[in-house]
Amino acid sequence: MRAVDALMECLKAEGVDVVFGLPGGANLPTYDAFYDAGIRHILVRHEAGGGHAAEGYAKATGKVGVALGTSGPGATNLVTPICDAMMDSVPTVFITGQVRTELLGTDGFQEADTIGITMPVVKHSFMIRHPLEIPRSVHEAFHIARTGRPGPVVIDIPMDLSRADIPYEPVSDVRLPGYQPTTDGNQKQIRLAAKALANARRPVLYVGGGVVHANAAEELTELAMFDRLPVTCTVMALGAFPAPHEQWLGMLGMHGTRTANYAMDEADLIVAIGARFDDRITGKLSEFAPRAKFIHIDIDPAEISKNVPAHIPIVGDAKNILPRLTAEYRSLEPDPQRLEAWWTRIKGWQQRHPLAFEDSSDAEIKPQYMIKALYEATGGDAIVTSDVGQHQMWAAQYYDFPRPRRWINSGGLGTMGFGLPAAMGAKVGCPDQQVVCIAGDGSVQMNMQELATCSQEGIAIKVFIMNNGYLGMVRQWQELFWDKRYSAVDMGRFPDFVKLAEAYGATGMRLTDKHTLVEGMREALATEGPVMCDVRVTAEENVYPMIPAGQAARDMVG
Amino acid sequence: MGEPGTKELLSLDELEAAGNLRTGRKHIVSILAENKPGVLTRIAGLFARRGFNIDTLAVGPTDDPDLSRFTLTLDGAVHPIDQVTKQLHKLVNVLKIRDLEPEETLARELAMFKVAADGSSRGELMQLCEIFRGKVVDVSRRSLVVEVTGTQEKVDAFERLVRPFGLIEMARTGEIAIARGRGET
């Protein structure tokens, strides 16, 4: 059979039911194979949209997301999603076309060194050099993408090889001697960790996106609940612990709650689970959690002691480790009384420093209010995607996520334009769920062409644009740290999102009055098909509280 | 140092101070990797993007035709060697990494020196060569090419000594290394 038909067989064997892509010259054979392969292909308007859709699909379902592009510009347009998937450990496979082998290295039409360009931002990549390599490479790619610390894998297939006639035999194993991720945590280390926990007076569980990837939210909750441990999550992990909850401190980091950041500052034991001590979490590294000892649980050994030295490292899968840790910890029968003083201190912070904003006295919609309204309108149980900027932080602060895989955003790379296509991918993966995108008026314009895809395919996402007419987060920094010299942040009131939505075949709405906001949102949610709502909010509002970059948690402002 | 993200000026001295840490112990890292296209790029690229500085790099075949050995030397002060090896382990084509212990390791490099040598200095140069067990591999009227093998330090020493004669060109391979005794590298 043709190598591309074998490719389809491999995709089906990997359980792929949908891919996002855009055809071109170098992947014509692949698209010919899609014609009757029985795999749903969603034609995106820009490869970056397809890549982020694959990420959204993967984050919402936990399955591997797949995106395709042709050679040259098709592949380079995928670079941002690939890098984004690398930073946030999203299981994804990207299949790119390449010029035929005799043209390789000659600057042929639409030739780009895809493998070279993507090498720094992939978990692994396969340059196909012989058609017989295709089936094995595809299975290895999926295996690498979804196991260990998940990530993006690129497969680059020259056009002539994809047309080759090959004998196809299903591949049932992978042979990767250099890739053996450790999943079982070391029992001795787990015992040590349990002991440290049982003796801690001021412990905090610091939870990262790894817990979501590991599907270990339940195991985490069980650990936290049994000894009433305080829990905080990074922006990648919201929902891993059910919010709101009396043990929930809120998000930590630059725009985290004071309670969470102060708790980290005063903790005597921090248990980092699937988290990587990013600079947005630690602030000034030398003053980060100065009193704490660290237990660091991660499947990637390179994360252990990368930024903050771990006293008790445990390498492995959180789903494997957490129940064993809970069991060991339980058997030590820790005295619950020992945490009383700590909880009194935490409750004090919670009372003194709740997340708060000054609401308008008229019809003006404050951005924070907009998130609360959306929480109410969606019943708090939508899959929410976001772009990057102020709206993302407000969404993270004010929308309480009760479960994992409900909050989908670009954390590590911070990719504007992520939200809308990610919502599209999430909706394709979870058609029965309510999927909303909280976008910024700046961000949304970076990938809004996918609204056409949504209209054509009947993908009913609901986009709520927090429209303040600015690149708001940059404006905030210019206001606070650069003497209000607003340089290149004013977006005006362009475009007219309502007309644009209609032009794309979606429903456009504009919401400007606080008093009818929830109602308007409900109407948008109840409207069939894709909807884009232009929500006009206060133009110059800042995200608070905030740890100014490079400072310590106790220097929080606002 | 100026706070990141703020308008405070950052002096060039501050910037340079952060990049000039050295003096850690020299490490010899031996990497066994699959002999596949692009593996060298993956390893070199990893070093570049993580900001690890490679001092020398030698690549060659091993007893197994499917595997290549990469021998690198680097300064452990710039980046913790632990982080270097952990990141290398994440490369799918890399099978084995060893940060070799100096006492248990034999390390050698090959160097060739083209030195100006007219009648008067030639004798002295030949003497130096002998002390270092170098070999004269090419002679012309006004120059010699000398081949020296040894540890990096020995080659460094030879270089220092021949430089005053007029060093025209030099080529060095960078060290390769193997573990002493029966043990595997």
Side-chain angles (χ1 to χ4, degrees), chain A residues 310-335:
Chain A
H311 300 88
I312 307 176
I314 309 176
V315 176
D317 185 343
K319 197 163 182 82
N320 167 286
I321 292 167
L322 292 179
R324 290 162 60 198
L325 177 59
T326 309
E328 286 285 344
Y329 184 15
R330 211 186 278 275
S331 73
L332 295 172
E333 295 176 6
D335 172 16

Side-chain angles (χ1 to χ4, degrees), chain B residues 73-177:
Chain B
T73 61
L74 48 127
D75 189 301
V78 187
H79 275 277
I81 194 76
D82 190 43
Q83 182 59 210
V84 176
T85 55
K86 282 172 170 177
Q87 292 294 347
L88 282 169
H89 263 301
K90 287 167 70 169
L91 297 177
V92 170
N93 301 122
V94 168
L95 301 185
K96 198 170 151 192
I97 301 153
R98 289 232 9 225
D99 174 21
L100 296 168
E101 288 296 330
E103 329 55 278
E104 290 156 27
T105 305
L106 293 167
R108 292 290 181 271
E109 77 172 313
L110 169 67
M112 294 202 275
F113 297 87
K114 187 179 290 175
V115 191
D118 50 20
S120 60
S121 58
R122 188 164 290 181
E124 204 182 331
L125 203 52
M126 305 281 273
Q127 255 181 341
L128 266 181
C129 242
E130 203 159 305
I131 296 168
F132 279 82
R133 295 172 200 230
K135 254 200 308 199
V136 176
V137 290
D138 184 60
V139 186
S140 75
R141 235 160 22 93
R142 289 163 57 200
S143 70
L144 290 178
V145 176
V146 181
E147 170 195 309
V148 176
T149 59
T151 61
Q152 202 172 325
E153 293 71 24
K154 175 182 162 185
V155 176
D156 286 345
F158 187 77
E159 182 196 335
R160 271 196 305 278
L161 288 168
V162 297
R163 203 172 263 284
F165 289 87
L167 183 56
I168 301 165
E169 267 186 324
M170 173 181 81
R172 297 173 64 161
T173 59
E175 280 180 322
I176 55 166

Side-chain angles (χ1 to χ4, degrees), chain A residues 119-120 124-125 129 144 149 176-179 300-302 304 306 477 481-483 549-550, chain B residues 3-7 34 37-38 41-42 49-50 83 86-87 89-95:
Chain A
M119 196 171 282
H124 193 55
S125 51
R129 280 157 198 278
I144 292 169
R149 177 179 181 172
L176 295 161
Y179 178 75
D300 180 358
I304 308 259
K306 184 180 81 179
W477 280 62
F481 308 115
W482 297 79
D483 297 337
Chain B
E3 292 301 343
T6 67
K7 52 179 284 189
E34 291 175 291
T41 319
R42 282 180 210 273
R49 73 174 174 277
R50 296 268 170 196
Q83 182 59 210
K86 282 172 170 177
Q87 292 294 347
H89 263 301
K90 287 167 70 169
L91 297 177
V92 170
N93 301 122
V94 168
L95 301 185

Side-chain angles (χ1 to χ4, degrees), chain A residues 155-409:
Chain A
I155 309 173
D156 197 32
I157 311 178
M159 185 185 181
D160 52 336
L161 304 188
S162 63
R163 273 186 335 203
D165 186 22
I166 60 167
Y168 170 67
E169 289 214 11
V171 180
S172 57
D173 64 325
V174 290
R175 286 194 296 259
L176 295 161
Y179 178 75
Q180 311 284 345
T182 308
T183 52
D184 281 3
N186 180 297
Q187 187 63 27
K188 222 173 82 192
Q189 294 293 94
I190 291 174
R191 212 169 293 145
L192 268 179
K195 219 174 191 179
L197 269 167
N199 288 316
R201 299 282 156 150
R202 298 186 307 280
V204 176
L205 299 184
Y206 151 44
V207 177
V211 171
V212 177
H213 292 306
N215 294 314
E218 264 178 55
E219 290 79 358
L220 167 80
T221 307
E222 203 185 320
L223 168 68
M225 301 274 196
F226 118 82
D227 197 26
R228 210 169 157 235
L229 299 169
V231 184
T232 180
C233 287
T234 68
V235 76
M236 297 315 299
L238 297 175
F241 187 78
H245 186 278
E246 59 139 7
Q247 283 167 248
W248 170 240
L249 311 185
M251 178 173 77
L252 81 164
M254 183 173 274
H255 291 297
T257 63
R258 279 179 187 264
T259 305
N261 286 322
Y262 289 174
M264 292 290 278
D265 187 53
E266 292 195 8
D268 67 350
L269 180 72
I270 289 171
V271 188
I273 312 165
R276 58 185 178 85
F277 296 91
D278 177 82
D279 58 274
R280 286 305 195 252
I281 297 300
T282 62
K284 191 174 193 171
L285 204 53
S286 58
E287 289 177 35
F288 173 66
R291 300 153 190 83
K293 296 258 188 281
F294 293 93
I295 297 171
H296 195 170
I297 301 171
D298 206 290
I299 195 148
D300 180 358
E303 285 306 336
I304 308 259
S305 302
K306 184 180 81 179
N307 295 337
V308 171
H311 300 88
I312 307 176
I314 309 176
V315 176
D317 185 343
K319 197 163 182 82
N320 167 286
I321 292 167
L322 292 179
R324 290 162 60 198
L325 177 59
T326 309
E328 286 285 344
Y329 184 15
R330 211 186 278 275
S331 73
L332 295 172
E333 295 176 6
D335 172 16
Q337 291 303 315
R338 78 192 192 291
L339 301 181
E340 278 309 314
W342 183 222
W343 273 113
T344 308
R345 186 117 181 98
I346 291 172
K347 297 272 176 230
W349 290 322
Q350 283 173 329
Q351 272 155 25
R352 276 197 305 284
H353 310 291
L355 276 176
F357 63 97
E358 200 180 318
D359 203 1
S360 61
S361 51
D362 51 13
E364 183 175 329
I365 301 169
K366 287 279 185 166
Q368 301 91 331
Y369 182 86
M370 171 182 163
I371 305 295
K372 294 185 121 184
L374 190 62
Y375 182 83
E376 196 183 325
T378 55
D381 196 28
I383 293 177
V384 179
T385 74
S386 92
D387 278 310
V388 169
Q390 287 186 313
H391 65 280
Q392 173 193 26
M393 289 299 116
W394 280 314
Q397 289 177 335
Y398 287 95
Y399 199 104
D400 287 325
F401 293 94
R403 293 189 273 147
R405 302 195 184 281
R406 304 264 99 186
W407 165 241
I408 294 172
N409 80 135

